[in-house]
Amino acid sequence: MKFSEIWLRSWVDTKLSSHELAHALTMAGLEVETLESVAPPFSDVVVAEVLEVTRHPNADRLNLCQVNVGDGMPLSIVCGAPNVAVGIKVPCARIGAILPDGLVIKRAKVRGVDSFGMLCSGTELGLAGENQGLWLLPDDSPVGMKLRDYMELDDTLFTLKLTPNRSDCLSIAGVAREVAAITGGTLNTIQAHHVHPTLTEVMAIQVSASEVCPLYCGRVIRDINAMAVTPLWMNHRLERGGVRSVNAVVDIANYVMLELGQPIHAFDRDKIIGEVVVRYARVGEELTLLNGQNVIPQNDMVVTSDDVKLLALAGIMGGAESGVGDATHNVFLESAFFAPDAIIGKARKLNIATDSSYRFERGVDFCATGTALERATQLLLEICGGQAGPISEVRKNLPARDPITLRLERVNRVLGTRLDSIEVVAILRRLQLKAERQNDNLLVTPPSYRFDLLLEVDLIEEIARVIGYDNIPAQPLRTAVRMVSHTEVRRPVSRLRNAMVVRDYQETISYAFVDAETELNLCANTTPVTLKNPLSNHLAVMRSSLLGGLVGALRVNLVRKQSRVRLFEVGACFFGGNYAQREQFAGLCCGTQLSEQWGEVSRNVDFYDVKADVEALFPSTALLSFVASPHPASHPGRSAQVWAHGRAVGWIGELHPKWLQQYDISQAVVWFEVEMDALVSVDLPCANEIYKSLPVRRDLAVIVDEDTTAQSLLDAMRDSDAPHVTELALFDLYRGKGVENGKKSLAFRVLLQDTEKTLIDSEIELSIAHLTAVLQKHGAQLRI
């Protein structure tokens, strides 16, 4: 929302300076994004009239002009502009004037002729003006008046960055209400006078989509002059509000929209056949809009039509065929209320953005619909002349403004204040909210323009805004302090984060929304949880894995020339069907294993480096295993499923080459993802008796088939419960001389120990024989 400060101050009296006013609005929730001066600084430039133009005696391209600047005696000024002519009114910088570029105007001789000033172009004054020649001012410009005063150039443009819920501030009237409430200034509401009809003509109106358009007002005005000149003051306000001038009729409609927030549309009355109908679009209908775009409205879009053709996309844009032009003599003015739900998203579907749809999507004051029509009629008759007929109105069920119960005790508890009912009522009245006492509470009815006031907390926020957040006293926090219970069977997530940081990882946080293509590529998820109203097309589904976000973060780092990237993320993942949600812990490595140094030979990170990191996350590796298994994101043969406590809890692997190519990654990437519950769950500690004797070590070397995994043999030996065995581990893998092709040698370390005594050879041999039998049962042969 952009507007002129001078226009705003004509609505509300406040002694605040421009910057103080901007700060007050921002602190009240209406963020002032920018403050801009309308014109750069310059001085002593006045409106002047050219009385006489003669050829310069010593130059073919210069003219000697006699100029009236309001001082009685004309000034002689040399001018080289091609558009200088007798009778025009232009800016004149008198002797002593200072222009925006710092140039000081002095008496000068130009080719031997004295010049007592300078006739200016818009460019020379730092303003938009004629590119070729002087800035031509309106014919009725007052000679001798300072240009800054006449053109209101000592003005400031405010640009508000409004949140979608504050549609009431999409007008000067709305912003003025806010300023009056915040500063306590007097609101000078401009009254729209009732226009007494001088015609009896009434336009027949039919509203078949009453749930979408519960209020429609219209009026016929005849014998207007569509070629009338838009007043300078109105042009200034439109231009500074970001709206270009079209013609007087359209300018008046736009002016009322900026002033009151109610979009107004003008139809050429002579181009309307029969009655005006507000209805849903029908299949096959087409409409050429005012911007020249041809559209085919969908059947959920509301249109305005007559008996033959479409006239407008309701609440969005009018049609070119029924638009107002220079030849228009009779108009039909439309002022209506369209329900936000019926307009929202429709303009975007047709790739259109209009001021009208922007306001209707957020909510327009339905109590100002008739007032805005009266205001537009008043201005139209003043500027374009004509005769107005009576207002035609179709009114159905307008939105209800249900009263909200406001508890004084709740206000003070939330804000930390000690306001009494008199103070609260006074604040609500400043906001033009009706408040009635109901026992110890207040019954507050929101006005028709405040669609954002629905709950008690909304009213409490309004009170805080008016008081000023800086003026709410800071109260010491009073709360009961108690120790947080801690269970031994779960570890805090912070411990996992610290473990990753110690291992040189950095945490990243990414959106839970991802691209559907990424979800399909990396997770083979064909049925993701889809968002009904996504932020953008590439954030349309909920993630079922953290891998997509990590890959995105990796690409950002690689583009910024990071040669070594180690990232991890903790977050929720979402799964279709019953919309399950699960916390996951994931990590990713790319580049060298260690930072560049002299103590180690540089090498790239590999699968087993990351496997060691994963093992470090688990509280115990006793029941942890990695089973080779394919994953859609991983390289064939370099992918494994992580198992813990007898169930699959995650994945680890090297990113597939085709995804490396697709995501423009030139190095190998190793990733992992594990369920959070498997990492934080810990077995309750159990004390064992301390061994009094030294352990005994025996090594078992066996020959097995190439496809036999060491993990399967370890699991089998552990499940056999061999007596006195305290530890089993693989310590050697051999292929080569002495081992047949298709075979491999595995060597296991076996530690045996007893809590009461030193083991004797017969006990040791019995345990080893037990393990040997288990190995042989699984196809292993002792290596001799």
Side-chain angles (χ1 to χ4, degrees):
M1 172 65 184
K2 180 185 283 189
F3 58 87
S4 156
E5 182 182 2
I6 291 177
W7 192 7
L8 175 65
R9 289 183 184 271
S10 70
W11 274 75
V12 60
D13 293 329
T14 175
K15 297 185 181 303
L16 298 181
S17 67
S18 300
H19 288 280
E20 289 171 341
L21 179 58
H23 178 73
L25 287 171
T26 299
M27 294 306 296
L30 306 181
E31 182 185 353
V32 178
E33 191 171 23
T34 59
L35 282 179
E36 304 172 69
S37 296
V38 169
F42 60 82
S43 64
D44 210 13
V45 178
V46 299
V47 177
E49 181 181 9
V50 178
L51 302 177
E52 181 182 334
V53 179
T54 59
R55 184 68 63 187
H56 191 289
N58 302 320
D60 293 338
R61 296 186 180 182
L62 297 178
N63 294 300
L64 182 60
C65 306
Q66 297 301 312
V67 180
N68 178 15
V69 294
D71 288 344
M73 291 295 293
L75 298 180
S76 179
I77 298 176
V78 176
C79 177
N83 61 338
V84 66
V86 174
I88 64 171
K89 293 183 178 179
V90 295
C92 177
R94 298 190 294 190
I95 292 176
I98 302 176
L99 299 187
D101 59 0
L103 175 66
V104 178
I105 303 302
K106 300 177 182 178
R107 176 179 175 179
K109 277 188 178 292
V110 181
R111 295 289 184 94
V113 177
D114 288 331
S115 181
F116 296 89
M118 174 180 172
L119 303 183
C120 302
S121 68
T123 304
E124 289 165 333
L125 296 176
L127 300 167
E130 299 290 340
N131 292 328
Q132 300 293 329
L134 303 175
W135 182 8
L136 302 181
L137 301 176
D139 293 339
D140 59 352
S141 302
V143 174
M145 187 175 184
K146 288 185 177 180
L147 185 69
R148 297 195 75 90
D149 295 338
Y150 175 58
M151 302 296 288
E152 295 184 336
L153 298 179
D154 292 319
D155 194 4
T156 304
L157 298 183
F158 279 62
T159 302
L160 299 184
K161 189 177 182 181
L162 294 174
T163 51
N165 63 315
R166 292 310 306 270
S167 60
D168 59 299
C169 292
L170 289 170
S171 66
I172 285 291
V175 177
R177 280 193 301 259
E178 283 293 302
V179 173
I182 295 164
T183 65
T186 303
L187 185 63
N188 305 319
T189 304
I190 295 178
Q191 299 296 332
H193 303 295
H194 172 69
V195 176
H196 182 72
T198 55
L199 295 176
T200 58
E201 181 180 357
V202 175
M203 174 67 73
I205 299 171
Q206 178 186 339
V207 179
S208 60
S210 59
E211 72 282 5
V212 171
C213 181
L215 178 59
Y216 190 96
C217 302
R219 163 178 266 161
V220 175
I221 303 177
R222 288 192 171 274
D223 301 325
I224 67 164
N225 176 15
M227 297 182 68
V229 178
T230 303
L232 187 64
W233 59 268
M234 183 178 287
N235 264 330
H236 287 165
R237 293 177 177 182
L238 288 173
E239 179 184 346
R240 293 167 194 179
V243 178
R244 66 181 180 87
S245 177
V246 179
N247 58 50
V249 178
V250 176
D251 289 350
I252 290 167
N254 287 333
Y255 180 82
V256 173
M257 179 185 68
L258 293 181
E259 185 178 60
L260 301 179
Q262 169 68 51
I264 300 286
H265 187 68
F267 298 97
D268 189 323
R269 172 64 185 89
D270 298 332
K271 296 178 181 178
I272 300 176
I273 302 172
E275 62 181 0
V276 171
V277 182
V278 180
R279 58 174 173 80
Y280 284 105
R282 297 166 185 158
V283 176
E285 289 185 312
E286 295 185 19
L287 177 65
T288 301
L289 300 176
L290 287 170
N291 63 359
Q293 180 178 346
N294 293 317
V295 297
I296 301 176
Q298 300 176 11
N299 57 11
D300 62 341
M301 296 180 180
V302 182
V303 297
T304 305
S305 70
D306 60 13
D307 294 346
V308 177
K309 61 187 177 300
L310 296 185
L311 301 176
L313 273 177
I316 299 176
M317 187 181 287
E321 188 174 348
S322 59
V324 173
D326 292 344
T328 299
H329 296 289
N330 308 306
V331 297
F332 173 67
L333 291 184
E334 169 198 271
S335 180
F337 171 76
F338 296 102
D341 290 342
I343 305 299
I344 190 167
K346 302 300 189 296
R348 193 180 305 114
K349 283 184 179 179
L350 299 173
N351 198 25
I352 303 171
T354 66
D355 290 326
S356 177
S357 65
Y358 188 83
R359 285 162 172 78
F360 280 123
E361 285 178 344
R362 288 156 176 78
V364 169
D365 181 9
F366 50 83
C367 285
T369 303
T371 303
L373 184 57
E374 292 281 14
R375 176 66 168 154
T377 304
Q378 174 190 339
L379 292 171
L380 191 62
L381 295 180
E382 290 176 1
I383 297 170
C384 300
Q387 302 179 69
I391 292 179
S392 304
E393 180 182 290
V394 176
R395 183 184 293 262
K396 300 292 183 179
N397 298 322
L398 291 167
R401 306 306 291 147
D402 298 325
I404 303 169
T405 300
L406 180 63
R407 296 166 290 174
L408 186 62
E409 174 272 333
R410 173 74 170 165
V411 172
N412 288 321
R413 182 155 57 89
V414 171
L415 298 183
T417 55
R418 296 180 180 178
L419 300 173
D420 57 33
S421 59
I422 296 175
E423 292 173 302
V424 172
V425 170
I427 291 170
L428 294 176
R429 285 176 179 170
R430 285 169 64 178
L431 290 163
Q432 301 186 14
L433 303 179
K434 296 179 180 179
E436 299 177 5
R437 296 184 185 276
Q438 188 182 62
N439 300 325
D440 296 332
N441 302 327
L442 294 174
L443 207 60
V444 183
T445 304
S448 55
Y449 51 81
R450 291 302 299 271
F451 286 84
D452 59 316
L453 300 183
L454 301 172
L455 305 173
E456 184 182 35
V457 291
D458 298 329
L459 297 177
I460 295 174
E461 182 185 0
E462 291 299 295
I463 293 170
R465 290 194 315 110
V466 174
I467 294 173
Y469 296 113
D470 292 340
N471 298 323
I472 297 176
Q475 300 289 349
L477 182 64
R478 292 180 294 176
T479 182
V481 179
R482 60 185 179 85
M483 295 292 290
V484 179
S485 61
H486 177 68
T487 174
E488 290 186 83
V489 296
R490 291 189 74 83
R491 296 190 297 168
V493 178
S494 59
R495 188 176 299 177
L496 300 177
R497 285 188 166 99
N498 290 337
M500 294 302 285
V501 171
V502 168
R503 301 183 81 84
D504 216 11
Y505 283 78
Q506 292 181 309
E507 185 174 7
T508 182
I509 300 174
S510 58
Y511 280 119
F513 319 126
V514 296
D515 184 17
E517 183 181 0
T518 300
E519 187 71 9
L520 180 64
N521 291 345
L522 300 181
C523 306
N525 186 1
T526 57
T527 57
V529 178
T530 305
L531 297 175
K532 287 186 176 180
N533 189 24
L535 295 174
S536 63
N537 291 335
H538 68 279
L539 297 174
V541 301
M542 302 295 287
R543 66 188 179 192
S544 64
S545 168
L546 301 177
L547 180 57
L550 289 171
V551 170
L554 170 64
R555 295 179 65 194
V556 171
N557 279 273
L558 293 178
V559 167
R560 285 159 178 77
K561 306 302 181 183
Q562 297 296 314
S563 59
R564 181 174 182 265
V565 182
R566 297 168 72 85
L567 303 173
F568 77 94
E569 182 172 7
V570 180
C573 294
F574 307 86
F575 305 90
N578 59 352
Y579 298 106
Q581 177 177 329
R582 187 170 66 220
E583 289 289 314
Q584 299 279 98
F585 195 107
L588 172 149
C589 291
C590 179
T592 58
Q593 166 61 7
L594 299 173
S595 297
E596 187 176 4
Q597 57 167 295
W598 65 90
E600 294 285 344
V601 177
S602 178
R603 66 175 180 84
N604 285 340
V605 68
D606 61 24
F607 179 95
Y608 295 100
D609 294 321
V610 177
K611 179 175 177 287
D613 295 335
V614 174
E615 290 175 339
L617 288 173
F618 281 86
S620 171
T621 58
L623 298 176
L624 180 66
S625 61
F626 298 82
V627 180
S629 183
H631 187 279
S634 293
H635 190 295
R638 299 179 190 177
S639 173
Q641 203 166 24
V642 183
W643 284 68
H645 299 281
R647 70 182 185 91
V649 296
W651 291 91
I652 180 173
E654 186 176 307
L655 205 61
H656 198 290
K658 67 179 179 181
W659 305 136
L660 294 177
Q661 182 178 6
Q662 177 162 331
Y663 296 117
D664 198 23
I665 302 172
S666 59
Q667 304 178 67
V669 176
V670 185
W671 67 278
F672 71 87
E673 185 167 15
V674 183
E675 294 177 17
M676 180 64 74
D677 190 62
L679 297 175
V680 299
S681 298
V682 183
D683 292 332
L684 192 65
C686 182
N688 291 324
E689 188 175 352
I690 297 175
Y691 291 104
K692 297 176 181 178
S693 60
L694 296 176
V696 176
R697 171 172 174 165
R698 292 288 187 272
D699 294 341
L700 283 174
V702 294
I703 303 294
V704 296
D705 292 336
E706 188 64 54
D707 58 357
T708 301
T709 62
Q711 188 65 49
S712 64
L713 299 179
L714 286 170
D715 291 341
M717 288 189 286
R718 286 168 181 155
D719 293 341
S720 68
D721 290 330
H724 309 304
V725 176
T726 59
E727 182 180 326
L728 288 165
L730 177 73
F731 72 88
D732 185 51
L733 167 65
Y734 175 74
R735 298 181 182 89
K737 187 177 180 181
V739 177
E740 298 178 29
N741 289 334
K743 301 283 186 177
K744 61 185 176 182
S745 170
L746 301 176
F748 298 97
R749 179 180 69 249
V750 183
L751 294 184
L752 303 98
Q753 204 168 12
D754 192 278
T755 58
E756 298 292 335
K757 62 178 182 176
T758 301
L759 295 174
I760 62 177
D761 288 345
S762 60
E763 293 172 321
I764 296 171
E765 294 304 325
L766 180 63
S767 295
I768 295 301
H770 181 91
L771 294 176
T772 302
V774 170
L775 292 172
Q776 290 174 340
K777 184 178 179 181
H778 284 78
Q781 297 177 355
L782 286 177
R783 183 180 177 190
I784 301 175

